[in-house]
C-alpha cells in the first residue's frame, strides 16, 4: 500500500481540506480515520455531508487498514497516534502532513506552530512516526512544507 | 488630515464589521472602496477601484486562519491615493489599482501580527474564567479587537495622510498615457483571476456543462446578469428537487426526551444571541480561534443556570475550548443547541455536540457563504459599480444585510427549540442539499459572468488583398470581427481558461498569477494590441 495522502487534522473535514487540499492532490475520496469518530453515529452521517460531494468514509484504524488505500484517497487522521498506527499497519504514504491540531481541554500543550498544539505524549508519537515516514507541516497547499521534528526540537518537546 | 482621520475610522469599522456583525460586509473591497470614495469626495473613483479589486479578490477566502491579501485596506488606500492623483478619471483609477493591489498583498504580512497578539490575550481570558470573572472575560474579548484593527487602521491612516499632500499629484503628473491604457486593460483582466480561483474551488470536472447555460444566456441571448442569476436559481431548484428521490440517509434516533423545566427567560436567550451577533469572532486568534467569543456569548446562560460558582467556572472553561466554524451558517445553530443542552442539564453533550458539528458545518457554511452566495452578490454589485452605478454596492450591502441577519436569528431559535433533535435534522441532509443547490447556481452564474465582466478585445488588424472587378484592392480587416464570427467573447473565455490553468494546474500562487496578469495587461494595453472594449468606429 503506497501513495495515499495522510493529513493529521483534528478538525477533520473543513474548508482547508475540501477546498484547497483535495483539489491540489487530485484525490477522489476521503477517509476519516479515528476510532472514536468511527464509533460516533452523528459524525458518521455529518462528515460525509461536509465533503462537498467527495465520497467519504469514516473508519476506525483497524478497518481502514483492511480497505485498499491508493493514491486517489486522502486520509485524515485525528491525531499522531492514528497516523502512527496506520504506518505500523503497513500504510506507506509518501509524506504525512501535520495540518491543524487544536489544543484539547485539560491537556498541557505547547503551540508548535500557529495551528498545532502538541502535548508531551504526542511529541513522542510524532517522533515515532517521523522514524518511518517523512513528517512535515503544511497548512495550505501554497505554503512551504516544513520538517516537523526540528520544530518539536525547537520547542524542547 | 480630516479626510485621513475619517478614512481611518472607516477602516476601523470595516475591520469590526468583518469580525462581528457582518452587517454590510464592509471589509469587502466593493463596500470599503465605495465608501472611501464618498469620504474623499470622489465617489466614482471609489466605485471603480473598489469594484475592480472586488473582482480580483473573488475566490480568495480565508479558511481557518490562512492569511490572504488585505483587500479592504488596499481598496481604501488605493482610493485615497487616486483621489490625490493628477489627471483624469482613468489616470486616477490606474493609480488607485496600481497602488491598492500591491498594498493589499504587502499588508497581508501584518495580519499574523494581529492574530498573534490576540493569542496572547486569550490566555488572560483563561485566568479570568478560572476566577469566574465575567467582566474580565468580556473586557479581554473586546480588547482583542484592538490588534486586529491596529494592523489595518494604522497603515490606512499613514497612507491617507501621505495622499492628502500635494506629493501624489506631483509624482503622478507625468504618468504616460500608455501606462494608463495598460493599467485599464489590466483592471479589466483581473476579474479572470477571481473567476479562475472560484472555479478552482468548485467541482469543475463534475459540473462544467452548467457553465454553458450561463454563457449561452449572456453571449447569445443577451441576458443581463440578473437574468442569468434567475436562470441559475431555476436550474439549482431543479437539481435539488430531483435529488430528493435518492434514498434517504439513515438518521440516528434522538436520545430519550427528558422533560425540561425551562429555566431560561426570553431575555437570557436574546442576550446570548445579541452577544454572538455583534461580536462572534472579534477575539479570533490562532490558538483557540472563536472560542472566547463563544464563551462570552454563552456567559449569560451559564450565569442563570449555575448559581454555584464552581459550576459556573466549569461552564466558562467548557466553552473557552477551541471553537471554529462558519459564523453565518452553522455558528448560530451550534450556539442554539449548546444553550438547549446546557439548559437540559447535559453539559457533556453540549460540549461533544459542539465539537462534532463545528467541522462539518464549517465545510458546508463556507461553501454556501463564501464561495457561492457572496461571490454572486458581490460580482453582480461590482459589475454595476464598474458602470459607475451606485446600485452596485447598495445592492450587495442589502443582499447580505437582510438575509444574513434573518438566517442567523432563525438558526439560533430553531436549534434552541430542537435541542437534541437538531443533529438528526442536520444528518437528514438538508444542509448538504442547500450547499449543492448553491454550487449549481454558482456554476450557471459564473458561465454568464465570465464573458460579461472579463472585458478584452483585440485592436489588431491585418491587411487583406482581394480582387474586385479584376483590380487588386487592399483592405484592413479587424481580427476581432473574425473572432466574433467564430465564437462571441472568445478572448475573455481564453483569458479565464489560461488563468485557471496557471492557478489550478501549474499551481502558481494567486499573488504570482495576479502579477502576471497585471504585467501582461499593462504591456499589451500599452502596445495597443488589446483593449477592454472596441474603439469607437470612426
Amino acid at each position: 500500500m503506497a501513495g495515499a495522502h495522510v493529513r493529521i487534522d483534528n478538525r477533520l473535514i473543513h474548508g482547508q481540506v475540501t477546498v484547497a487540499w483535495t483539489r491540489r492532490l487530485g484525490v477522489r475520496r476521503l477517509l476519516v480515520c479515528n476510532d472514536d469518530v468511527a464509533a460516533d453515529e452523528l459524525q458518521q452521517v455529518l462528515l460525509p455531508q461536509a465533503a462537498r460531494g467527495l465520497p467519504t468514509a469514516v473508519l476506525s484504524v483497524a478497518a481502514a487498514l483492511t480497505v485498499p488505500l491508493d493514491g486517489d484517497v486522502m486520509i485524515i487522521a485525528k491525531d499522531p497516534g492514528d497516523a502512527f498506527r496506520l504506518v505500523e499497519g503497513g500504510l506507506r504514504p509518501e509524506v504525512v502532513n501535520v495540518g491543524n491540531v487544536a489544543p484539547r481541554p485539560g491537556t498541557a500543550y505547547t503551540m508548535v506552530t500557529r495551528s498545532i498544539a502538541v502535548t508531551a505524549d504526542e511529541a513522542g508519537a510524532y517522533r515515532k512516526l517521523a522514524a518511518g515516514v517523512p513528517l512535515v507541516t503544511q497548512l495550505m497547499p501554497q505554503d512551504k512544507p516544513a520538517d516537523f521534528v526540528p520544530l518539536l526540537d525547537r520547542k524542547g518537546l | 488630515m480630516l479626510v485621513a482621520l475619517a478614512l481611518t475610522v472607516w477602516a476601523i469599522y470595516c475591520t469590526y464589521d468583518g469580525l462581528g456583525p457582518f452587517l454590510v460586509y464592509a471589509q469587502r473591497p466593493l463596500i470599503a472602496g465605495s465608501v472611501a470614495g464618498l469620504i474623499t469626495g470622489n465617489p466614482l473613483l471609489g466605485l471603480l477601484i473598489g469594484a475592480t479589486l472586488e473582482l480580483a479578490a473573488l475566490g480568495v477566502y480565508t479558511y481557518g486562519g490562512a492569511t490572504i491579501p488585505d483587500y479592504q485596506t488596499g481598496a481604501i488606500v488605493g482610493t485615497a491615493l487616486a483621489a490625490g492623483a493628477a489627471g483624469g478619471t482613468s489616470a486616477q483609477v490606474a493609480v488607485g489599482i496600481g497602488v491598492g493591489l500591491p498594498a493589499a498583498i504587502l499588508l497581508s504580512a501584518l495580519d499574523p501580527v494581529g492574530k498573534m497578539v490576540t493569542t496572547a490575550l486569550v490566555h488572560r481570558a483563561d485566568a479570568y474564567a478560572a476566577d469566574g470573572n465575567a467582566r474580565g472575560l468580556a473586557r479581554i474579548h473586546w480588547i482583542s479587537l484592538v490588534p486586529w484593527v491596529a494592523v489595518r487602521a494604522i497603515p490606512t491612516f499613514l497612507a491617507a495622510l501621505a495622499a492628502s499632500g500635494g506629493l501624489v499629484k506631483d509624482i503622478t503628473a507625468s504618468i504616460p498615457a500608455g501606462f494608463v491604457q495598460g493599467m485599464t486593460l489590466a483592471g479589466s483582466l483581473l476579474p479572470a483571476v477571481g473567476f479562475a480561483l472560484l472555479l478552482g474551488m468548485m467541482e469543475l470536472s463534475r459540473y462544467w456543462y452548467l457553465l454553458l447555460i450561463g454563457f449561452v444566456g449572456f453571449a447569445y441571448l443577451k441576458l443581463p446578469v440578473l437574468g442569468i442569476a434567475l436562470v441559475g436559481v431555476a436550474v439549482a431548484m431543479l437539481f435539488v428537487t430531483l435529488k430528493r428521490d435518492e434514498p434517504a440517509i439513515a438518521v440516528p434516533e434522538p436520545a430519550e426526551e427528558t422533560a425540561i423545566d425551562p429555566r431560561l427567560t426570553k431575555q437570557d436567550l436574546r442576550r446570548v444571541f445579541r452577544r454572538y451577533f455583534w461580536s462572534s469572532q472579534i477575539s479570533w486568534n490562532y490558538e483557540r480561534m472563536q472560542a472566547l467569543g463563544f464563551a462570552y456569548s454563552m456567559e449569560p446562560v451559564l450565569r442563570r443556570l449555575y448559581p454555584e460558582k464552581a459550576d459556573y467556572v466549569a461552564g466558562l472553561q467548557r466553552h473557552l475550548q477551541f471553537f471554529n466554524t462558519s459564523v453565518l451558517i452553522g455558528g448560530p445553530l451550534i450556539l442554539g443547541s449548546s444553550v438547549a443542552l446546557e439548559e437540559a442539564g447535559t453539559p457533556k453533550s453540549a460540549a461533544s455536540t459542539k465539537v462534532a458539528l463545528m467541522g462539518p458545518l464549517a465545510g458546508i457554511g463556507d461553501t454556501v457563504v463564501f464561495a457561492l452566495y457572496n461571490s454572486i452578490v458581490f460580482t453582480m454589485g461590482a459589475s454595476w459599480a464598474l458602470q459607475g452605478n451606485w446600485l452596485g454596492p447598495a445592492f450587495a450591502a442589502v443582499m447580505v444585510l437582510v438575509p444574513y441577519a434573518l438566517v442567523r436569528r432563525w438558526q439560533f431559535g430553531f436549534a434552541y427549540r430542537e435541542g437534541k433533535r437538531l443533529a438528526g435534522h442536520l444528518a437528514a441532509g438538508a444542509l448538504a442539499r442547500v450547499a449543492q443547490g448553491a454550487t449549481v447556481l454558482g456554476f450557471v452564474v459564473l458561465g454568464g459572468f465570465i464573458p460579461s465582466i472579463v472585458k478584452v478585445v483585440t485592436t489588431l488588424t491585418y491587411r487583406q488583398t482581394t480582387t474586385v472587378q479584376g483590380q487588386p484592392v487592399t483592405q484592413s480587416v479587424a481580427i476581432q470581427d473574425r473572432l466574433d464570427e467564430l465564437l462571441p467573447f472568445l478572448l475573455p473565455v481564453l483569458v479565464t481558461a489560461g488563468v485557471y490553468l496557471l492557478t489550478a494546474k501549474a499551481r502558481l500562487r494567486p499573488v504570482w498569477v495576479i502579477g502576471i496578469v497585471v504585467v501582461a495587461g499593462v504591456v499589451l494595453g500599452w502596445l495597443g494590441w488589446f483593449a477592454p472594449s472596441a474603439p469607437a468606429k470612426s
Side-chain angles (χ1 to χ4, degrees):
Chain A
M1 286 186 280
H5 307 277
V6 177
R7 178 175 169 97
I8 298 175
D9 194 325
N10 73 351
R11 286 190 273 158
L12 305 175
I13 298 177
H14 57 96
Q16 287 174 7
V17 169
T18 57
V19 172
W21 281 102
T22 58
R23 303 284 187 282
R24 166 65 179 264
L25 299 172
V27 298
R28 288 172 193 283
R29 47 200 189 102
L30 287 175
L31 170 61
V32 174
C33 185
N34 176 268
D35 294 356
D36 295 336
V37 177
D40 183 335
E41 278 182 332
L42 180 61
Q43 301 202 58
Q44 282 272 7
V45 284
L46 275 178
L47 283 168
Q49 293 187 53
R52 303 189 59 180
L54 276 185
T56 300
V58 183
L59 298 176
S60 66
V61 174
L65 285 167
T66 63
V67 297
L69 299 170
D70 45 24
D72 74 356
V73 62
M74 178 173 178
I75 300 173
I76 300 161
K78 194 165 184 181
D79 55 50
D82 292 335
F84 179 70
R85 284 167 61 204
L86 284 170
V87 170
E88 211 179 23
L91 186 75
R92 287 288 169 266
E94 270 172 41
V95 64
V96 172
N97 176 19
V98 191
N100 299 282
V101 184
R104 269 150 312 110
T107 58
Y109 58 86
T110 305
M111 297 303 290
V112 170
T113 71
R114 288 167 192 158
S115 60
I116 303 171
V118 177
T119 64
D121 290 351
E122 286 169 342
Y126 282 120
R127 285 177 190 283
K128 281 202 297 187
L129 186 58
V133 284
L135 185 69
V136 300
T137 175
Q138 185 180 9
L139 194 62
M140 297 289 278
Q142 60 265 31
D143 297 329
K144 271 213 173 86
D147 274 330
F148 195 66
V149 171
L151 295 174
L152 293 175
D153 294 339
R154 213 164 60 193
K155 296 282 176 178
L157 280 159
Chain B
M1 182 70 184
L2 211 58
V3 170
L5 280 175
L7 287 174
T8 308
V9 170
W10 173 234
I12 292 171
Y13 177 74
C14 291
T15 311
Y16 166 66
D17 188 274
L19 290 167
F22 290 92
L23 289 183
V24 290
Y25 252 104
Q27 89 277 28
R28 297 286 296 229
L30 177 63
I31 307 293
S34 297
V35 175
L38 285 178
I39 293 172
T40 58
N42 290 274
L44 185 62
L45 284 183
L47 270 184
L48 297 176
I49 293 166
T52 305
L53 292 178
E54 180 65 53
L55 291 166
L58 282 176
V60 183
Y61 300 105
T62 175
Y63 289 103
T67 287
I68 56 163
D70 179 1
Y71 284 106
Q72 166 199 313
T73 311
I76 297 175
V77 163
T79 303
L81 276 122
T89 304
S90 50
Q92 289 178 314
V93 170
V95 169
I97 298 165
V99 171
L101 204 56
I105 292 166
L106 291 173
L107 288 173
S108 66
L110 290 177
D111 174 61
V113 179
K115 290 175 182 168
M116 266 187 285
V117 175
T118 316
T119 303
L121 286 170
V122 78
H123 289 273
R124 289 286 306 147
D126 280 340
Y128 283 127
D131 287 345
N133 181 346
R135 267 173 194 280
L137 194 85
R139 197 161 60 235
I140 295 293
H141 178 56
W142 284 93
I143 286 175
S144 297
L145 189 55
V146 174
W148 273 91
V149 163
V151 298
R152 287 162 181 79
I154 294 170
T156 303
F157 178 71
L158 294 176
L161 206 58
S164 64
L167 191 63
V168 179
K169 189 158 238 138
D170 296 341
I171 294 174
T172 53
S174 53
I175 295 177
F179 176 77
V180 172
Q181 222 174 293
M183 206 59 214
T184 310
L185 177 63
S188 75
L189 292 180
L190 276 172
V193 177
F195 292 142
L197 289 171
L198 268 181
L199 287 174
M201 289 169 30
M202 297 159 73
E203 298 145 90
L204 188 62
S205 55
R206 190 165 154 203
Y207 290 124
W208 60 270
Y209 57 90
L210 292 171
L211 288 172
L212 291 179
I213 296 176
F215 182 81
V216 169
F218 177 77
Y220 292 97
L221 305 178
K222 314 282 181 222
L223 289 180
V225 287
L226 194 59
I228 293 167
L230 292 175
V231 171
V233 169
V235 177
M237 290 301 291
L238 200 63
F239 253 77
V240 172
T241 317
L242 293 178
K243 266 267 170 187
R244 282 250 171 90
D245 301 335
E246 288 188 352
I249 306 166
V251 179
E253 282 293 307
E256 272 297 294
E257 203 66 16
T258 43
I260 304 164
D261 116 69
R263 287 176 290 164
L264 296 174
T265 64
K266 274 218 163 76
Q267 206 191 359
D268 293 330
L269 296 175
R270 265 205 296 276
R271 205 172 282 151
V272 169
F273 180 73
R274 213 183 302 140
R275 286 187 177 196
Y276 191 78
F277 185 90
W278 291 103
S279 73
S280 55
Q281 48 182 359
I282 59 172
S283 54
W284 198 100
N285 62 83
Y286 282 124
E287 191 180 311
R288 238 66 75 69
M289 300 202 177
Q290 302 161 349
L292 179 50
F294 200 90
Y296 171 71
S297 304
M298 288 293 291
E299 192 275 334
V301 159
L302 301 172
R303 199 184 337 153
R304 173 80 67 195
L305 294 177
Y306 303 112
E308 294 291 325
K309 190 177 172 192
D311 298 336
Y312 173 67
V313 166
L316 287 179
Q317 289 176 330
R318 188 158 57 240
H319 290 291
L320 252 177
Q321 294 311 326
F322 178 87
F323 182 71
N324 203 46
T325 196
S326 170
V327 172
L328 299 176
I329 294 180
L333 281 174
I334 299 179
L335 186 70
S337 78
S338 292
V339 172
L341 294 170
E342 289 280 357
E343 187 182 27
T346 51
K348 265 215 172 111
S349 83
S352 65
T353 306
K354 232 172 97 179
V355 173
L357 290 179
M358 70 183 179
L361 287 181
I364 294 166
D366 287 353
T367 308
V368 176
V369 171
F370 291 153
L372 301 156
Y373 185 78
N374 288 357
S375 298
I376 292 169
V377 164
F378 280 91
T379 305
M380 285 170 66
S383 78
W384 288 324
L386 281 178
Q387 298 157 12
N389 190 344
W390 272 92
L391 190 62
F395 166 82
V398 171
M399 289 298 282
V400 293
L401 174 69
V402 178
Y404 282 144
L406 293 179
V407 90
R408 271 182 285 177
R409 187 71 192 80
W410 175 82
Q411 287 177 80
F412 178 71
F414 175 75
Y416 174 69
R417 283 191 306 275
E418 293 300 316
K420 283 182 181 169
R421 287 188 306 268
L422 173 70
H425 286 298
L426 297 179
L431 270 175
R433 264 207 305 278
V434 170
Q436 203 218 8
T439 304
V440 169
L441 170 62
F443 271 105
V444 173
V445 169
L446 267 178
F449 281 177
I450 290 167
S452 62
I453 289 165
V454 181
K455 287 201 169 67
V456 54
V457 294
T458 176
T459 46
L460 294 175
T461 57
Y462 71 95
R463 289 188 178 287
Q464 178 178 289
T465 308
T466 47
T467 311
V468 178
Q469 294 170 343
Q471 296 287 327
V473 177
T474 304
Q475 57 176 157
S476 61
V477 179
I479 293 178
Q480 186 61 44
D481 291 344
R482 291 284 168 274
L483 293 179
D484 285 342
E485 287 164 15
L486 206 59
L487 181 77
F489 302 100
L490 179 63
L491 287 179
V493 170
L494 287 179
V495 169
T496 309
V499 176
Y500 175 77
L501 292 178
L502 289 180
T503 56
K505 298 297 168 203
R507 291 168 183 173
L508 289 186
R509 278 161 167 265
V511 167
W512 283 104
V513 177
I514 288 172
I516 290 170
V517 169
V518 169
V519 171
V522 169
V523 171
L524 295 173
W526 199 325
L527 290 172
W529 294 357
F530 294 90
S533 56
K537 293 243 163 69
S538 54

